[in-house]
Amino acid sequence: MKITQTSHEEYGQIYIPFMNWLLLVATIALVLGFRSSGNMAAAYGVAVSTDMVITTVLTFVVAQRWGWNPVLLGSLSTGLLMVDLSFFGANLLKVPDGGWYALAVGASVFFVMTTWRQGRELLAGRLRRDTEPLILSLTRIACNPPPRVPGTAVFITESSQSTPPILLHHLKHNQVLHEQVLLLSVRTERIPWAAPAQQLKVKPLDQGFYRVDIHIGFKQNCSLPVALRMAERLGLKVDLDMTTFYIGAESLIPTPNVPGMVLWRERIFAFLSRNAARRTDFYEIPSERVVVLGMQVDF
């Protein structure tokens, strides 16, 4: 989703436009459904008491990571939980009278978030399984060089040691490479602004390959065309009119015999993936410079 960083200091202070509109629709539906504040009392009580329990548990986890004294932390958390759980238990009696709504909403959001997270981890594992070490790919290209065409090809990757799966897919089907190939990684740091000297690193490899690492602050836009123009100061010559950005579009095929999530949950993740925001918009890549290669992944 599109995320807007609203703070110059806090990495986690964000605004998500889609979620804000979704909350608007949900609030209107809530008012129309319950019709009066009296009817909402049960849902409100369950929501507040559940939030109190969750906040106490999360406070314990965070304080533990901060290195607080375990005995003091345990005693404090136990005392708070005794109070919170007593309110929570009392409000469970209100579940049939409207408290179910708060629990249903919370469970639905939690389900979607965990499905997305687990699905992304499983997809990354499937793609890693189909890739190979970068040094092996460069050696194979040196021994059996494919035809080279003028221009620059840019492949976005997360790993510095592995060959991007989309590059292997491109070589397998098109059997051709550009004269210059950039393996580009983008890292968002937990600082608002990255210094210009730290934003870009270029490392020449063999066979016309270059590794380009871009480091940006969370308040900065990630424009790949601008970054490539900046790379000229580091000796990397890139003609944007002769540059092609290759983007992978994974077509997820839910398969019952593949280990992972249950089949119906895999279908939900496939639906979420199809409706995710486009990476080309995030990286501000001109649409006429993009080639999208489809990849079917059994999931």
Side-chain angles (χ1 to χ4, degrees):
M1 296 182 181
K2 180 182 179 181
I3 297 176
T4 302
Q5 297 284 350
T6 60
S7 172
H8 292 273
E9 299 176 355
E10 295 295 334
Y11 176 77
Q13 185 171 312
I14 61 176
Y15 168 68
I16 308 176
F18 174 80
M19 293 305 301
N20 208 54
W21 284 103
L22 185 61
L23 285 172
L24 170 64
V25 174
T27 302
I28 294 175
L30 183 69
V31 173
L32 294 177
F34 283 89
R35 297 183 181 275
S36 70
S37 58
N39 294 335
M40 291 179 60
Y44 181 77
V46 172
V48 171
S49 59
T50 306
D51 182 65
M52 291 168 61
V53 174
I54 294 174
T55 302
T56 299
V57 173
L58 291 180
T59 302
F60 173 81
V61 174
V62 173
Q64 191 178 40
R65 294 182 178 180
W66 286 348
W68 282 31
N69 184 293
V71 177
L72 176 62
L73 179 59
S75 302
L76 179 62
S77 299
T78 301
L80 291 174
L81 273 177
M82 289 178 62
V83 177
D84 294 341
L85 289 174
S86 63
F87 279 109
F88 178 72
N91 279 284
L92 287 181
L93 299 175
K94 302 178 181 180
V95 170
D97 299 322
W100 59 267
Y101 180 83
L103 297 178
V105 171
S108 300
V109 174
F110 180 78
F111 169 78
V112 171
M113 293 176 67
T114 53
T115 298
W116 177 258
R117 179 184 180 124
Q118 187 177 354
R120 293 296 300 174
E121 291 174 350
L122 290 172
L123 177 59
R126 299 282 192 275
L127 295 178
R128 281 195 301 268
R129 184 188 59 188
D130 296 333
T131 188
E132 64 183 18
L134 181 59
I135 185 65
L136 180 60
S137 297
L138 294 178
T139 302
R140 183 180 293 109
I141 292 173
C143 296
N144 187 20
R148 308 297 285 257
V149 297
T152 300
V154 179
F155 296 89
I156 300 174
T157 179
E158 296 181 0
S159 173
S160 60
Q161 304 298 326
S162 301
T163 307
I166 190 64
L167 172 57
L168 295 176
H169 192 65
H170 167 65
L171 267 177
K172 177 181 178 181
H173 292 279
N174 296 328
Q175 300 180 7
V176 66
L177 274 180
H178 287 70
E179 291 177 343
Q180 186 170 254
V181 179
L182 308 184
L183 306 180
L184 191 146
S185 298
V186 179
R187 299 284 184 270
T188 301
E189 308 295 344
R190 291 181 174 268
I191 55 177
W193 309 98
Q198 301 175 345
Q199 287 183 16
L200 202 61
K201 295 180 181 178
V202 177
K203 180 181 179 181
L205 304 173
D206 295 332
Q207 307 303 316
F209 279 66
Y210 293 83
R211 173 158 296 286
V212 181
D213 293 318
I214 300 175
H215 298 265
I216 60 173
F218 60 78
K219 287 292 290 182
Q220 293 174 291
N221 293 331
C222 182
S223 175
L224 295 190
V226 172
L228 294 182
R229 281 195 292 267
M230 293 172 55
E232 293 184 359
R233 293 181 295 181
L234 302 177
L236 182 62
K237 302 298 182 182
V238 178
D239 183 358
L240 292 179
D241 292 331
M242 295 288 290
T243 298
T244 302
F245 295 84
Y246 287 90
I247 303 294
E250 297 88 7
S251 179
L252 306 181
I253 309 299
T255 307
N257 298 325
V258 177
M261 297 184 292
V262 294
L263 185 61
W264 60 269
R265 201 176 180 193
E266 290 177 353
R267 289 172 176 163
I268 293 177
F269 175 69
F271 171 79
L272 294 174
S273 296
R274 287 195 300 270
N275 291 276
R278 297 186 303 175
R279 282 175 286 182
T280 53
D281 295 337
F282 177 78
Y283 293 124
E284 299 181 0
I285 305 174
S287 57
E288 68 272 10
R289 308 286 350 142
V290 175
V291 172
V292 179
L293 294 179
M295 300 173 58
Q296 284 196 352
V297 180
D298 290 333
F299 198 73

